[in-house]
Amino acid sequence: MVDIDAVRDWLGRLPGGSLVGQYVDDWDAFEKLDRPVVTLFGSYDTGKSSLLRRLLVDSGSDVPGWLTISARHETFEVNDVEVGGCIIRDTPGFAVGASDIRAQNNSRRAMAAVGLTDVGIAVLTPQLATAERDMLQKLFTQEWPVGTMWFVISRFDEAGADPEYDLSEYRELSGRKVRELRELFELDGRTPVFVVSQDPFQTAGPDTDLGRETWDEFRAWDGMRDLADAFAAVSPSALPGWRHSAGQRYWAVVLDETVTELRKQLSDYTARAEIAASGVARRDGWESELDTLDRAAQAGLDGLVEEVMRRSWEPSSGADELQAEIQRTLDEWFTKHDVRLQRLQQSVRKTKERERARPSWVGFASLVAALGSGEDASTTPAGPGGAAEHVETVGTILLGMLKVANKAPGAIADGKARSVKVGGDLGRHIGIAEAALPLAVYLAKVVDEQRADRARLNQDKAAAEKRQQVVTECTQRIRDTWQPFVDDVREAIVAETRDQVDLDASLRRLVEQLQEAVAEGEGLLRAGSVPLLQTDA
């Protein structure tokens, strides 16, 4: 017995937004019906539609236009029709293992309809359940009150025994199939099982404009009288008990399927949060390494210009020789430290290439694409109610929650994982030689000017201070030339990790909320693990 109020409260507090309204609306619409709801379900081509046509025609009711009879998959929606004192629902057929969206939607609609019914009728062919056995077994174990789950073995004139030729063989085969069915699903004698031939030898075919007399010659053995009598015996007086049991089944399935979906979402978002966290850690590590390289380069620059100028005072050094010496010194400094930058940038790129080749990256990249799209993440799929219809919206409300959380400047702006602009020179503004040459020319010119008045510069304190000012200015020019090299690498680090860093905080919060929601939902499942008692209601 599930605590329905607790389940509804929990659904109202799910991360990203409430689901309870959708479920309540579906349940309220069903609960307001004042007649028993009987739902036909099973795989497609088991004869549900032809069975419903036969019940309608035999009761003197008109066959609605939406009811089509075909060997193909023709029923795509859940439809209601009145027969006697009951509302009968025809559902799309299960398509177990189908990969196309329409077939999957059909199965989902059928399962949802069975969740909102008083009496369920599983319609099977004479071969009994095959691929859909597990799906049916899941429905049968939802503790239906005695007398509210029926089985119909349909189209039995195709079972292999001709009743018009050997009626005893037909009936013996019928009894054997009933026993097989009871063994297959471990049914006791209280579960009604009917064997019918609703349209013997396809007498009516696809026609819907028919009269009762169409099947008069087969009524002695087609089994439809017993089924019609069972419908006539469905009493509205049992409705309160059946609705109570239906409520327990419905909300128990809502709880179970929502927890199952939340577990899946938790697993998916935990993996994505780990990808995001790894991006944050990588950015911190790479930027720390870049800062270390930059400090080492700056330290190597300290005193470099002053040493060059000191050597320029040597009497043997000429202007050309001096410029060549300055050029060589700056080339060595730029080359030494630029090689380290290149190695770091290559490491960043290769690490990201390896990361994006891993399967785990696909889920993160798809999330980035979804967040960057212009689609409304709050939309919900259309269709009839039931847990199977609504659990899909868990993913959309979580996506919508992340979209809201990442609308800040700098957050996800497009659907593509960004990458830094890289080229053959790793995106540098200028090369090493181009960077060093103008500095060397400038420094050589300054030195030449100073050497012209070397004596005064050595004796005049003000001139010495001027000399130090020149050293400081030259050093700053070199630093200014070096800075774009560092900035390019920093830009690469930021660009390669931007999506991960942008999503890190919101993903961590979402995972925490999902963990709490799953833990609470699992607690409700454990509390309701005592099975519903079978009743004779």
Side-chain angles (χ1 to χ4, degrees):
M1 296 282 290
V2 296
D3 185 336
I4 294 176
D5 289 338
V7 172
R8 289 166 65 153
D9 175 66
W10 173 73
L11 287 169
R13 294 182 288 104
L14 290 179
S18 172
L19 281 181
V20 67
Q22 302 171 52
Y23 292 119
V24 169
D25 290 346
D26 295 332
W27 172 255
D28 287 349
F30 168 69
E31 193 176 31
K32 289 176 182 177
L33 298 173
D34 59 358
R35 282 167 292 176
V37 176
V38 181
T39 300
L40 304 173
F41 63 92
S43 295
Y44 74 92
D45 199 29
T46 55
K48 297 186 299 297
S49 297
S50 63
L51 180 64
L52 180 55
R53 176 187 63 180
R54 176 69 183 273
L55 290 168
L56 287 167
V57 172
D58 280 356
S59 67
S61 302
D62 292 333
V63 178
W66 51 259
L67 186 62
T68 57
I69 314 298
S70 171
R72 298 189 303 273
H73 202 160
E74 292 284 358
T75 303
F76 304 114
E77 301 293 340
V78 175
N79 293 294
D80 295 354
V81 68
E82 296 182 17
V83 176
C86 299
I87 297 172
I88 301 182
R89 283 181 172 164
D90 189 25
T91 63
F94 297 147
V96 179
S99 57
D100 63 290
I101 298 300
R102 186 172 71 172
Q104 292 174 358
N105 287 338
N106 287 344
S107 296
R108 188 161 49 248
R109 292 188 180 100
M111 291 290 286
V114 178
L116 293 168
T117 194
D118 300 304
V119 176
I121 302 181
V123 183
L124 310 172
T125 64
Q127 290 74 36
L128 305 182
T130 52
E132 73 274 22
R133 180 181 181 278
D134 291 341
M135 184 178 291
L136 294 174
Q137 185 71 54
K138 182 179 180 180
L139 289 174
F140 303 156
T141 56
Q142 291 176 6
E143 307 297 345
W144 297 69
V146 171
T148 61
M149 175 60 77
W150 303 359
F151 290 81
V152 172
I153 304 177
S154 170
R155 294 166 42 190
F156 209 72
D157 55 302
E158 303 172 14
D162 188 339
E164 295 193 325
Y165 176 76
D166 191 336
L167 184 57
S168 61
E169 182 185 6
Y170 177 86
R171 288 176 173 164
E172 190 278 331
L173 179 60
S174 171
R176 188 166 71 248
K177 286 294 182 179
V178 170
R179 291 191 296 273
E180 288 179 12
L181 179 64
R182 292 191 185 279
E183 291 175 1
L184 181 64
F185 293 110
E186 300 179 352
L187 307 176
D188 61 26
R190 299 177 297 173
T191 302
V193 179
F194 303 92
V195 179
V196 303
S197 298
Q198 64 267 44
D199 185 28
F201 314 118
Q202 299 187 25
T203 299
D207 295 340
T208 55
D209 186 14
L210 304 163
R212 292 187 81 259
E213 68 280 359
T214 303
W215 301 285
D216 281 350
E217 63 179 298
F218 313 115
R219 294 185 185 279
W221 54 264
D222 64 13
M224 289 300 300
R225 179 177 298 173
D226 290 341
L227 183 59
D229 289 346
F231 270 98
V234 173
S235 173
S237 64
L239 199 54
W242 289 352
R243 286 287 158 87
H244 172 76
S245 296
Q248 281 292 315
R249 287 197 310 273
Y250 176 75
W251 290 104
V253 170
V254 167
L255 174 61
D256 179 68
E257 295 199 359
T258 305
V259 169
T260 298
E261 177 63 16
L262 285 175
R263 288 188 189 121
K264 177 183 178 298
Q265 295 289 342
L266 175 58
S267 175
D268 290 345
Y269 279 104
T270 297
R272 294 164 183 173
E274 290 172 353
I275 293 290
S278 72
V280 173
R282 290 190 193 283
R283 176 183 286 190
D284 291 344
W286 285 329
E287 287 193 323
S288 176
E289 185 176 352
L290 177 61
D291 290 340
T292 299
L293 293 179
D294 189 31
R295 285 194 299 269
Q298 300 284 358
L301 184 60
D302 290 341
L304 182 66
V305 175
E306 191 167 11
E307 174 62 19
V308 170
M309 293 185 70
R310 185 190 64 77
R311 281 184 284 174
S312 71
W313 254 246
E314 298 297 329
S316 60
S317 59
D320 292 341
E321 184 180 348
L322 173 62
Q323 182 170 331
E325 174 65 13
I326 294 172
Q327 178 80 39
R328 183 189 62 78
T329 301
L330 292 179
D331 278 349
E332 287 179 354
W333 180 85
F334 267 99
T335 300
K336 174 182 177 181
H337 297 290
D338 182 58
V339 165
R340 295 175 180 176
L341 288 183
Q342 289 186 52
R343 287 173 181 166
L344 174 57
Q345 191 164 13
Q346 288 169 352
S347 175
V348 170
R349 188 174 66 249
K350 289 180 179 179
T351 299
K352 292 305 296 183
E353 288 174 354
R354 288 194 300 269
E355 186 173 43
R356 286 172 180 158
R358 295 172 183 164
S360 57
W361 181 262
V362 175
F364 183 81
S366 66
L367 175 63
V368 171
L371 291 174
S373 71
E375 297 176 1
D376 182 5
S378 64
T379 56
T380 58
E389 281 295 323
H390 295 314
V391 291
E392 284 191 347
T393 67
V394 173
T396 58
I397 64 176
L398 295 179
L399 187 60
M401 177 182 177
L402 285 176
K403 278 196 171 186
V404 171
N406 286 277
K407 282 185 177 179
I412 303 300
D414 57 45
K416 299 178 181 178
R418 303 168 184 81
S419 62
V420 69
K421 53 183 176 64
V422 292
D425 62 348
L426 298 178
R428 276 165 180 71
H429 300 289
I430 52 178
I432 293 171
E434 291 85 350
L437 180 59
L439 291 170
V441 171
Y442 169 78
L443 190 54
K445 180 180 178 182
V446 170
V447 170
D448 271 349
E449 291 174 352
Q450 292 178 345
R451 291 176 69 182
D453 197 6
R454 185 185 318 177
R456 187 179 66 81
L457 286 175
N458 284 337
Q459 297 170 5
D460 191 317
K461 182 178 179 181
E465 291 175 353
K466 174 64 175 177
R467 175 183 171 185
Q468 184 58 47
Q469 181 180 344
V470 170
V471 170
T472 301
E473 181 181 348
C474 288
T475 302
Q476 187 58 50
R477 285 193 177 213
I478 297 173
R479 285 195 172 106
D480 291 343
T481 305
W482 166 253
Q483 191 59 47
F485 288 72
V486 177
D487 290 343
D488 269 359
V489 178
R490 194 176 303 278
E491 180 185 348
I493 292 171
V494 170
E496 294 288 15
T497 57
R498 181 177 288 117
D499 291 334
Q500 292 161 282
V501 172
D502 287 348
L503 288 175
D504 176 62
S506 56
L507 282 175
R508 279 189 284 108
R509 286 194 299 270
L510 179 55
V511 166
E512 290 171 359
Q513 292 173 329
L514 283 171
Q515 288 171 334
E516 293 173 359
V518 168
E520 187 176 351
E522 289 174 341
L524 292 172
L525 282 173
R526 288 191 297 271
S529 61
V530 178
L532 223 134
L533 295 177
Q534 290 275 0
T535 70
D536 293 321

